[in-house]
Amino acid sequence: MTETTTSPGGDSESRVSTRKTTRRGGGDPATRGRTTIADGVVEKIAGTAAREVMGVHAMGSGLARTFGAMRDRVPGGTKAVARGVKAEVGEVQTALDLEIVVVYGYAIGDVAAAVRENVIAAVERMTSLEVVEVNIAVSDVKLPDEEDEEEPVQPRIQ
């Protein structure tokens, strides 16, 4: 680094500074260390993204939905957003298996394509992982006259 100074008489004098700029730790701070994402995190993101699609009634098999509905009714219980989703997460890629229930009247192929697209977009945007596959299994169709086991039961005493 060169420094120029001017003396009171107007003469300028140059000298080379030996001061070095030091970088601590070396390299970009964003590259220092490793980030790992748990399978459950990806499962929650995928489950939420799948439920946003029109035509998806529920996630998971009948038994899982029944137990989930009972768990949701317990005071202090939380809704299982990862129900019906299985993720395998690597360092840079992930693969997902989803089990959905489609509302009667919706084209299953269209719903599955929309779910796949929404899940891939959400997971890749939020995690920076590459989604290599999203397998969708349609386990049931919700008919208009069927009771919904996920709706909370109305108390008999008010």
Side-chain angles (χ1 to χ4, degrees):
M1 177 156 100
T2 304
E3 227 178 87
T4 304
T5 58
T6 306
S7 64
D11 297 334
S12 62
E13 167 182 311
S14 291
R15 68 183 150 155
V16 177
S17 173
T18 58
R19 221 175 24 165
K20 291 184 181 179
T21 305
T22 57
R23 289 183 75 161
R24 295 186 182 150
D28 181 20
T31 61
R32 296 182 207 167
R34 187 171 56 151
T35 302
T36 57
I37 300 171
D39 293 358
V41 171
V42 175
E43 289 169 356
K44 285 182 178 183
I45 293 167
T48 302
R51 283 178 177 81
E52 293 173 348
V53 175
M54 293 294 294
V56 174
H57 172 69
M59 303 283 297
S61 66
L63 186 60
R65 290 192 325 268
T66 301
F67 284 125
M70 287 190 305
R71 185 178 53 241
D72 293 346
R73 291 185 190 126
V74 174
T78 59
K79 193 166 182 100
V81 294
R83 184 184 323 139
V85 182
K86 177 69 179 127
E88 293 179 29
V89 179
E91 288 187 30
V92 294
Q93 295 179 326
T94 186
L96 297 154
D97 295 320
L98 281 74
E99 191 171 356
I100 65 173
V101 177
V102 177
V103 176
Y104 177 82
Y106 284 85
I108 292 173
D110 294 344
V111 172
V115 166
R116 190 171 284 113
E117 185 178 318
N118 206 38
V119 166
I120 290 171
V123 170
E124 287 184 346
R125 177 178 48 83
M126 294 180 70
T127 66
S128 298
L129 294 169
E130 176 191 5
V131 179
V132 293
E133 68 180 2
V134 177
N135 300 311
I136 299 174
V138 179
S139 62
D140 202 359
V141 173
K142 167 67 169 91
L143 299 174
D145 59 343
E146 285 182 334
E147 268 191 47
D148 188 2
E149 69 251 9
E150 289 194 356
E151 290 180 355
V153 177
Q154 296 296 324
R156 292 188 283 182
I157 303 171
Q158 297 199 10

